[in-house]
Amino acid sequence: MSDSKYKQNNTGLNSIAVHTGTIRDAFGGVNTPIQSSTAIEYFTGNGNIPYPRNFNIPNHDAVSKKIAALEGGESALVVSTGMAAIAIGILAITKPGDHILMQNNIYGGTRAFVDILREKHNINVTLISSMTPENLAQYVTKESVLLYMETPTNPLMEIIDIVPITQWAKDHGIITMIDNTFASPINQRPLELGCDIIMHSATKYMAGHSDLMAGALIGNTAYIEKCRKLSAIYGMSLNAVDLSLLERSIKTIGIRVQQQNANALEIAQWLSNHPRISKVHYPGLPSHPGHEIAKRQMSGFGGMMSFELAGNDIEYRDAFLQKLELISIATSLGGVESTITIPTQTSHYIVSIEERNALGIHDMLLRFSVGIEDAHDIINDLEKALQ
Ligand SMILES: *Cc1c(COP(=O)(O)O)cnc(C)c1O
């Protein structure tokens, strides 16, 4: 087998998405072959014997190179789920007694992991509602080792200004890690904004077809090697078939996300003029409080938004959802098909009602993952159901 001759000198994200990492077999096919063997011949006993759980199989090499290149990082590790990436990504650089500065408004599963960090690992986590250097300075301690953030946030699409935060963290010798799932590397490249580590739920935009789960970590090679060793012990590897499916899917991430960006902007503008919608949260709208920052740090505003139905009538909400035909009421996000969720029943179900209220997440709020269908068909579906 040999690496694709096309891997060199790719600078455009679409060229990287299509070509980088591809491994050719003797037959010359343009796709990395699936190597699903778990028994693999080896000739040296140097401790890194080929075994899928050790992340040293060709399908892992191929897709991890592609993901690292898309984010402009040195190395990447692809694990079984986004949550596995979050858990390993944090555990690889913390020890009991350490302190983490973490954004308060984060993915629900990450928030649940904070309880485990506190209770089982004796790691102190401060959840911070306003991520600004001034505010962080109030909470930093000499045990602070990691700053964790997510932007745009789920489900309210708040935008965190990344550059001042990473600069502040560098001045304090604190490592920064960002969940870049919502933006995808097509719309936001956090390493260029000073972040040290990126994590992705590759289940979402990277996989893009709502048919596999994966997670990714991107960072310098020494860090990724630490994550690899730990993930091998915890058994968080992804199988060759799904690694291959992920590699295939990422080839179209550029054109998928561009279509989602365009659709979402058009739909957000339409929704914000609709009398039955009281509020639209989309960073592409000039009315969004994070719009100016998003324009600076993102190259597209993404396919995720949320909106609030006017009033307080849960029966109207459910009738609206039931009338939708093209748009599915379904968890997850980032797929080619448009989906809507009710955050109080899904991502934030495990978050207490008090915390939810503090975050502004209530029952009339709907999170919308815009697909790649034609915008006018999506709008027609919404229009009909809102009647
Ligand atoms: C889905 C999601 C995760 C968790 O990823 P899984 O692949 O479901 O484990 C983490 N962060 C964000 C922002 C997500 O949307």
Side-chain angles (χ1 to χ4, degrees):
M1 292 199 298
S2 61
D3 287 4
S4 163
K5 64 183 176 204
Y6 300 112
K7 73 172 177 168
Q8 298 299 326
N9 305 322
N10 293 323
T11 51
L13 290 183
N14 285 305
S15 314
I16 291 171
V18 175
H19 291 292
T20 302
T22 305
I23 297 171
R24 292 274 173 98
D25 59 13
F27 189 59
V30 297
N31 295 303
T32 307
I34 299 175
Q35 300 282 346
S36 59
S37 300
T38 55
I40 302 162
E41 283 188 304
Y42 75 101
F43 302 102
T44 55
N46 63 6
N48 189 25
I49 55 160
Y51 189 52
R53 184 162 51 73
N54 292 340
F55 299 87
N56 52 11
I57 58 169
N59 292 104
H60 182 270
D61 284 353
V63 70
S64 63
K65 266 190 199 151
K66 196 188 288 297
I67 290 173
L70 279 175
E71 287 287 14
E74 226 172 70
S75 292
L77 185 78
V78 179
V79 291
S80 53
T81 64
M83 281 312 301
I86 289 167
I88 288 300
I90 292 175
L91 291 175
I93 41 173
T94 50
K95 58 179 190 328
D98 281 348
H99 176 237
I100 300 174
L101 295 155
M102 189 181 280
Q103 187 177 322
N104 186 28
N105 194 357
I106 44 165
Y107 178 72
T110 315
R111 176 63 190 79
F113 185 59
V114 166
D115 291 338
I116 294 179
L117 285 169
R118 286 170 172 162
E119 289 159 23
K120 301 220 182 271
H121 296 274
N122 192 25
I123 290 168
N124 192 1
V125 183
T126 304
L127 295 169
I128 296 161
S129 48
S130 174
M131 293 287 278
T132 60
E134 302 72 48
N135 214 15
L136 289 163
Q138 288 180 31
Y139 297 107
V140 68
T141 73
K142 58 184 192 324
E143 282 75 37
S144 304
V145 293
L146 174 66
L147 191 155
Y148 186 102
M149 61 183 145
E150 182 180 319
T151 181
T153 65
N154 178 34
L156 291 174
M157 308 301 134
E158 286 164 7
I159 302 292
I160 309 298
D161 198 353
I162 298 173
V163 170
I165 290 176
T166 55
Q167 275 167 0
W168 177 88
K170 274 200 175 66
D171 291 343
H172 290 77
I174 295 170
I175 296 169
T176 46
M177 178 168 175
I178 187 167
D179 184 335
N180 202 31
T181 302
F182 269 37
S184 92
I186 303 304
N187 287 330
Q188 180 167 277
R189 301 189 2 118
L191 297 183
E192 291 168 7
L193 302 169
C195 288
D196 300 304
I197 301 162
I198 300 174
M199 78 67 48
H200 276 279
S201 169
T203 311
K204 315 294 168 55
Y205 286 99
M206 290 207 180
H209 297 70
S210 312
D211 59 0
L212 74 94
M213 299 201 77
L217 289 159
I218 301 101
N220 69 42
T221 302
Y223 167 75
I224 293 299
E225 184 53 20
K226 271 191 207 168
C227 294
R228 187 191 68 78
K229 285 191 172 137
L230 205 55
S231 306
I233 293 167
Y234 277 92
M236 289 171 165
S237 60
L238 190 63
N239 65 81
V241 175
D242 281 344
L243 287 166
S244 164
L245 257 185
L246 180 60
E247 184 189 351
R248 193 276 307 269
S249 298
I250 294 173
K251 292 182 184 187
T252 56
I253 192 174
I255 56 172
R256 281 189 280 110
V257 169
Q258 261 154 32
Q259 171 84 352
Q260 283 159 322
N261 288 344
N263 280 355
L265 186 59
E266 189 175 338
I267 293 162
Q269 282 161 347
W270 181 84
L271 280 172
S272 57
N273 289 317
H274 199 286
R276 297 220 165 189
I277 304 296
S278 59
K279 193 153 196 181
V280 180
H281 305 269
Y282 185 64
L285 295 177
S287 60
H288 188 279
H291 180 64
E292 289 305 318
I293 301 167
K295 266 201 323 207
R296 250 196 338 263
Q297 73 187 14
M298 301 178 80
S299 43
F301 299 112
M304 296 301 301
M305 72 177 76
S306 57
F307 58 93
E308 298 174 28
L309 296 172
N312 225 338
D313 182 356
I314 289 184
E315 277 169 30
Y316 171 68
R317 177 198 73 187
D318 291 345
F320 160 72
L321 293 173
Q322 269 158 23
K323 272 200 205 160
L324 292 169
E325 290 172 357
L326 179 146
I327 303 166
S328 304
I329 312 310
T331 53
S332 200
L333 62 104
V336 291
E337 58 287 291
S338 294
T339 57
I340 284 181
T341 59
I342 308 167
T344 54
Q345 295 181 356
T346 54
S347 61
H348 287 68
Y349 182 71
I350 43 180
V351 177
S352 72
I353 292 182
E354 295 73 39
E355 265 185 83
R356 269 190 228 155
N357 286 341
L359 294 170
I361 296 164
H362 55 79
D363 285 326
M364 299 303 275
L365 176 78
L366 301 173
R367 191 193 71 185
F368 190 7
S369 171
V370 177
I372 66 165
E373 304 96 334
D374 298 285
H376 65 264
D377 286 325
I378 303 172
I379 287 174
N380 281 345
D381 201 39
L382 291 165
E383 172 78 273
K384 245 188 332 146
L386 283 166
Q387 297 297 312

